[in-house]
Amino acid sequence: MKRALLHLSVLLPMAMMGQIPVTDAATNASVGMVNSQLMNINIQLKAVNKNLARLINLMEKNNNETSKSRKILKEELDAKKTSPDYVMKSTDVNMTIDLKEKILEAYRSSKNSIQKWKHLEQDEIQEFAGYTANAIVEAKNLFKQCNGIIKTKSIILPEERLKKVSGINSKLEQLLDGLIAYNNKLSQINAFREAKLSLINMNKE
């Protein structure tokens, strides 16, 4: 029994001494694995940070581009809300002004002529006066429309403004032609009646 205890007392310290290196090796292995995992995580975090930095730069770039696009769009919209100089000084706009003067002149001329013609009937004079008055009212409305198209702040392309002005000019030309034709018609009627009356008077003599 004593011998057995002696052997056990000798073997136990030896066994304990043998376990210490094994425990240290396991701990070192665990620490190494943790360190390796931490290094991998650190590498991944660096990659994530790098990607985040790229994403932030891209977002800032997109934001700048969006701001530029908004500014350009605003400038384009503002440009569409006003008539450029080439519209204001265009042939179409100048023609509108010219037609306005010609219509007013035709109206004044017709009014003066009616007073000089002595061989027209009263209903013919009244009918012509009504026609010319309506023509002037319509012409004024067309002038107003033209002015509105040029100065409106609505979003209208310059080409569309010119197209609308050209359409108004066509109507103004029709009014002018109508005034001139009606004036010529009454002038011929007056001249015919005057000539007829002169012929009758000559035959009486």
Side-chain angles (χ1 to χ4, degrees):
M1 183 68 179
K2 289 181 180 180
R3 186 175 292 179
L5 289 172
L6 180 62
H7 282 295
L8 184 60
S9 63
V10 171
L11 290 174
L12 185 59
M14 290 178 66
M16 291 178 66
M17 290 175 66
Q19 284 296 322
I20 290 172
V22 172
T23 302
D24 289 343
T27 301
N28 290 337
S30 297
V31 171
M33 185 179 296
V34 170
N35 287 337
S36 178
Q37 290 176 348
L38 288 174
M39 288 179 64
N40 289 334
I41 291 173
N42 191 39
I43 292 171
Q44 291 176 3
L45 286 174
K46 287 181 179 179
V48 169
N49 287 337
K50 189 175 182 180
N51 289 334
L52 283 174
R54 288 178 180 175
L55 181 60
I56 290 171
N57 288 334
L58 182 61
M59 291 176 68
E60 288 179 349
K61 183 178 180 181
N62 288 339
N63 186 53
N64 291 335
E65 292 297 326
T66 301
S67 297
K68 290 179 182 178
S69 298
R70 286 177 180 172
K71 184 177 179 181
I72 292 172
L73 180 60
K74 185 179 182 301
E75 290 175 353
E76 290 178 350
L77 290 176
D78 289 341
K80 291 177 182 178
K81 289 180 181 180
T82 56
S83 296
D85 287 340
Y86 75 84
V87 171
M88 300 298 292
K89 299 177 181 178
S90 66
T91 303
D92 291 305
V93 173
N94 288 330
M95 183 179 293
T96 304
I97 297 171
D98 185 52
L99 286 170
K100 175 183 178 181
E101 295 301 323
K102 287 182 177 179
I103 289 173
L104 292 175
E105 179 58 30
Y107 170 74
R108 287 190 291 264
S109 176
S110 298
K111 191 175 180 181
N112 292 333
S113 297
I114 283 291
Q115 294 174 355
K116 296 177 183 178
W117 294 332
K118 305 300 182 182
H119 303 286
L120 294 178
E121 297 178 0
Q122 191 62 33
D123 59 339
E124 292 174 333
I125 295 174
Q126 290 178 350
E127 184 179 349
F128 182 65
Y131 177 87
T132 55
N134 290 333
I136 289 300
V137 170
E138 188 174 353
K140 286 183 177 179
N141 289 334
L142 290 172
F143 299 151
K144 186 176 180 180
Q145 289 178 30
C146 182
N147 192 48
I149 290 169
I150 295 172
K151 295 182 179 180
T152 182
K153 295 298 182 181
S154 300
I155 299 175
I156 305 177
L157 291 172
E159 293 75 15
E160 188 66 22
R161 291 178 192 263
L162 289 174
K163 184 178 179 181
K164 290 179 179 292
V165 171
S166 179
I168 288 174
N169 286 342
S170 296
K171 295 178 181 179
L172 289 173
E173 287 177 337
Q174 292 176 4
L175 285 177
L176 179 60
D177 291 341
L179 282 171
I180 294 173
Y182 206 151
N183 186 77
N184 290 337
K185 175 185 175 182
L186 292 184
S187 177
Q188 292 173 1
I189 291 174
N190 183 76
F192 174 77
R193 289 175 181 169
E194 184 178 6
K196 184 178 179 181
L197 183 60
S198 297
L199 184 60
I200 292 173
N201 290 334
M202 286 176 61
N203 290 333
K204 286 181 180 180
E205 295 176 358

